[in-house]
Amino acid sequence: MVRTVASENKGIEELAGTVAKFQKHFESSGQRQRKHVEHWKNRLIGLLESRLLERALGGAGGEARLAELAAEVADRKKDPFSAVNEILKRSGLQG
């Protein structure tokens, strides 16, 4: 822990040194790169989800069919896995 007293300008240099030391350790340990990769992995997953949803629900009646399937699942007439499989098959995403 680094104690500072800003009004007396005490501990500021020590704090800056501690921050610089942490940053150097963070970068040299590979944590920064891992965090950067994890960030982009999550971002790519988000983009992929968006595009797949667009493709799966796109086209004539996609949103309406989703609402119908949701109602069937809510009424326990269809299980959610079957509903998703139906959406995927209809969109050509399931072989």
Side-chain angles (χ1 to χ4, degrees):
M1 181 189 318
V2 178
R3 295 199 176 268
T4 61
V5 181
S7 61
E8 297 175 17
N9 202 22
K10 289 186 178 178
I12 304 302
E13 286 184 35
E14 187 179 331
L15 177 61
T18 301
V19 169
K21 184 178 177 182
F22 172 78
Q23 185 177 15
K24 184 177 179 181
H25 170 73
F26 184 72
E27 290 177 2
S28 68
S29 70
Q31 286 180 309
R32 181 181 181 148
Q33 179 63 18
R34 282 192 296 277
K35 294 267 186 193
H36 198 61
V37 168
E38 188 65 25
H39 163 78
W40 280 107
K41 179 182 160 188
N42 290 331
R43 182 74 174 116
L44 290 171
I45 288 170
L47 291 169
L48 181 59
E49 287 173 342
S50 176
R51 295 287 301 274
L52 286 172
L53 260 172
E54 183 180 299
R55 182 165 174 200
L57 299 177
E63 289 287 336
R65 185 61 189 139
L66 176 63
E68 290 171 15
L69 287 169
E72 289 178 32
V73 171
D75 291 341
R76 299 184 186 266
K77 294 178 182 175
K78 185 172 289 205
D79 70 274
F81 299 102
S82 295
V84 167
N85 286 337
E86 189 174 320
I87 292 169
L88 291 173
K89 188 173 183 179
R90 185 173 184 267
S91 67
L93 292 169
Q94 183 180 34

